[in-house]
Amino acid sequence: MRRSLAGALAGAALAVAATWTTGFGAATTRGAMADSTLAVGPFIEPGFPFIVSTLDAGVRGGAFPARNLAVRCVVLMLDDDTHACFDTDLLRVAAAWRGGPMKLTTMAQVSYDKPFNKNNAIPQLVGTPIVATGIYPGWAGANPTFSDPRPAGPNPSDVGRGPIAAERGRWNGLHVVGKQAILSYTVEGTEIAEQIGTASADGQVGITRTFRTSAIARPITLVVAEVADGAKSAVDATLAVEVQGAKSAVDATQAVVVQGVARDTATVVGVTGAPAGARLQVDSNRYVTLRIPAGQASTFRVVAWRGRAADRAVVGAMLQKPVRIAEFERGGPSHWDSTVVTRGVISPDSADYVVDRVTLPMPNPWRRNVRVSDVDFFSDGRAAAVTFDGDVWIVSGLDRGLDQVRWKRFASGLYEPLNLKVVRDTIYVLDREGIVRLIDVNGDGEADSYENFSNVLVQSGESREYPLGLAAKPGGGFYVSIGGALDNGPKTSPQIAPGFRAGAIHSGSVLEISADGRSITPFATGLREPNIGGNPRTGQLASSDQQGNFVPATPVYLIRKGGYYNVTPTAHGADTTKGLPPLVWIPHEVDASGAGEVWVTDGRMGLGSDALVHLSYARPGPFRVYVDSTRSAVQGATVALPGTYATPTLKGRMYPGDGTLYLAGFQIWQSNAKDVSSLVRLRKTDRPSTIPAAVHAGQQGILLQFATRLD
């Protein structure tokens, strides 16, 4: 009974809808036909201020930290040629530099315009660094630390250890105002808004950091720069600095670290508008810090520059620029004020279940690729769709005919998101940064606030350690699942078992996020690549897993709290002698790669209430999963639901308006699908269904119940 019934029942269950090719279809913008020859534009969209990524900002030799991996990094586009990486776990500027933004080599980035390219790597900094800090908190109390205070994970050398303790500092998110991204975080109880930018003087460019703080309850310290080869430093106007054989005085608002054997290069940090009693300091000719005493709220600016020591006077000119921060509380102007209109493809009601296609918004005015990874619905019937490329679209017009489906861009810059959930008409996205809550502050139809709802899920630098599942908990909070650190792709941690690397403390687990997003509790362990789905009524979790090391075929589990599911490298201390069996095994030839789980709670789909649907990435398509409970065991069966699916089915959601099932997916990993991405609707027609209504096993055989008479 633990084998799938899909093969045996294929004749009854696989009534095929009208065939179609999931091309991108015609699209119009404000009623006018869009250019059908439009190719996708660059992954980093001109005019938008940030993307989130991993970045190796290490520089071998010279003045900057050689080991400098930011696992969760907001890459800021300061101007056409200057960029910065803000590490949201450690609240530090890992690096700021001139030149290209970075090597675009994450999975989403390399496959953006080459959909089957999986040759991903950790992005590396390109260009010329100006300032950097090492792997330690960018802010601290009165006494800064220049080592990583976070507990080590399974691989002690891995810097993917999650955020610093919330009482020391917490990333709150960012606000978008035009081409500016305003960072928001808390340090030792002090609320800080920061705007990173540039200042120019005499052809030189410096990095500016403008801060607005609340009242400071206790002293705090900002680490501005680390200079690895500092030879001499000065922070006092009475202290002379020897530069190229000459001595010159240093302004009291600046700190200078002279570098190199010839002492002809300098890193200069200046501050203007700082609170009374604030002082720059250089520790060990290496770490430039700004110590700020307790006091009133303030707005001030720090400038960092590196260049020829003889040119260091340019910093004084940079400090003369007005000190102001963009007004972000009321939101910002729109980036994408067009709406793309597409027409869907409706299948004739020639079978009991048919598949309709919701045509994707390609081409579009921004030349964005649209690889849909998840979808959910608002109370008014609109949908929110998220793409692997980091965008969120609002979709309306999902009526019976799909004649005018309107796509409006809502957010961008997210890090390989595979999950989206709408809770009380608010969008939550799970990506490598954590759970991001998207807020439209000014009501213009775009997100202005990218709020950190929860970043307590620990993410390593391993590229296959995907945040795979997001389910809302009845009563508040979420369940999340994260993949194991599979032994492929760029290597950031050692192999610990065949097919697995050390990864992070949460790899291969299902975890529970509290209602306020601030705490995380292990829920189940021992999984390889779990894709979860939650029953919105009962809270019951189901999960598939990926066939591979320790997983002989595709299982479907009903997840129990405290359960261990037979993958020893991700046991995380569980008793590995007490592994729980799946509800059903699906043979490899039937489903070589499982994906999401969907609970259908609306009887209009003809599946009854609380019906579980398993999605196959490889086949592709959905399976009805039957739960058969007896006194001695809980077991199950699967039957493939009808339809032809030209792209993988990754995630699904029931549409509350009519009870139909919407399925989203895109192709990059192994699948029998032919096309790249789609959003489709599985619809029950008025024709009698030949899908079994129930499946039960007994001593005399397997009992199949049907809702209609069979021929």
Side-chain angles (χ1 to χ4, degrees), residues 75 82 120 125 139 169 173 197 266 282 284 357 424 498 541 609:
V75 180
T82 311
N120 61 300
L125 181 149
W139 285 89
V282 181
S284 306
R357 174 164 58 89
R424 300 185 186 91
L541 287 179
S609 60

Side-chain angles (χ1 to χ4, degrees), residues 24-40:
F24 291 123
T28 60
T29 305
R30 289 179 172 171
M33 184 64 71
D35 180 7
S36 61
T37 64
L38 188 65
V40 297

Side-chain angles (χ1 to χ4, degrees), residues 410-494:
F410 184 74
S412 192
L414 302 167
Y415 189 3
E416 299 183 344
L418 296 174
N419 298 274
L420 177 146
K421 197 76 180 121
V422 177
V423 179
R424 300 185 186 91
D425 283 344
T426 298
I427 297 174
Y428 295 79
V429 176
L430 174 66
D431 68 0
R432 290 179 183 266
E433 194 180 8
I435 301 177
V436 181
R437 179 160 52 195
L438 301 174
I439 306 296
D440 178 4
V441 176
N442 56 14
D444 65 352
E446 294 183 18
D448 308 285
S449 176
Y450 293 66
E451 179 183 315
N452 170 30
F453 174 77
S454 181
N455 63 346
V456 292
L457 178 66
V458 178
Q459 183 80 53
S460 78
E462 292 290 342
S463 66
R464 295 300 180 97
E465 200 178 78
Y466 290 106
L468 290 170
L470 177 68
K473 287 173 53 184
F478 292 94
Y479 296 106
V480 297
S481 64
I482 185 169
L486 303 187
D487 190 15
N488 45 28
K491 196 174 186 69
T492 64
S493 59

Side-chain angles (χ1 to χ4, degrees), residues 139-188:
W139 285 89
N143 299 305
T145 178
F146 304 114
S147 61
D148 192 342
R150 301 170 296 176
N155 174 23
S157 64
D158 180 29
V159 301
R161 303 179 180 184
I164 59 175
E167 61 269 18
R168 300 183 64 170
R170 184 181 189 272
W171 169 245
N172 296 326
L174 58 81
H175 308 272
V176 175
V177 184
K179 294 184 178 182
Q180 303 294 330
I182 311 302
L183 313 178
S184 173
Y185 48 89
T186 305
V187 176
E188 299 280 347

Side-chain angles (χ1 to χ4, degrees), residues 24-27 38-40 340 342 359-364 368-371:
F24 291 123
L38 188 65
V40 297
V340 181
T342 68
T359 307
L360 300 182
M362 287 190 67
N364 56 70
R368 294 298 289 175
N369 202 345
V370 183
R371 296 182 290 176

Side-chain angles (χ1 to χ4, degrees), residues 431-598:
D431 68 0
R432 290 179 183 266
E433 194 180 8
I435 301 177
V436 181
R437 179 160 52 195
L438 301 174
I439 306 296
D440 178 4
V441 176
N442 56 14
D444 65 352
E446 294 183 18
D448 308 285
S449 176
Y450 293 66
E451 179 183 315
N452 170 30
F453 174 77
S454 181
N455 63 346
V456 292
L457 178 66
V458 178
Q459 183 80 53
S460 78
E462 292 290 342
S463 66
R464 295 300 180 97
E465 200 178 78
Y466 290 106
L468 290 170
L470 177 68
K473 287 173 53 184
F478 292 94
Y479 296 106
V480 297
S481 64
I482 185 169
L486 303 187
D487 190 15
N488 45 28
K491 196 174 186 69
T492 64
S493 59
Q495 188 185 73
I496 59 171
F500 284 87
R501 301 178 191 161
I505 61 172
H506 292 150
S507 65
S509 298
V510 178
L511 304 113
E512 186 175 356
I513 305 289
S514 61
D516 62 1
R518 302 300 180 97
S519 62
I520 188 168
T521 306
F523 192 84
T525 61
L527 293 146
R528 187 173 185 268
E529 294 283 273
N531 276 280
I532 61 171
N535 187 315
R537 189 179 63 82
T538 67
Q540 172 67 62
L541 287 179
S543 179
S544 68
D545 208 348
Q546 290 274 315
Q547 184 273 339
N549 300 84
F550 299 90
V551 183
T554 298
V556 177
Y557 293 106
L558 294 180
I559 298 294
R560 300 182 193 173
K561 187 172 185 177
Y564 162 69
Y565 293 93
N566 309 301
V567 177
T568 56
T570 61
H572 300 298
D575 184 349
T576 57
T577 67
K578 297 182 178 180
L580 296 175
L583 177 68
V584 62
W585 288 108
I586 305 178
H588 189 71
E589 63 271 18
V590 177
D591 179 13
S593 181
E597 308 296 319
V598 190

Side-chain angles (χ1 to χ4, degrees), residues 49-75:
F50 78 93
I51 65 167
V52 180
S53 182
T54 295
L55 178 66
D56 182 357
V59 178
R60 309 299 179 255
F64 301 99
R67 183 169 178 266
N68 196 5
L69 179 65
V71 173
R72 299 197 278 209
C73 164
V74 177
V75 180

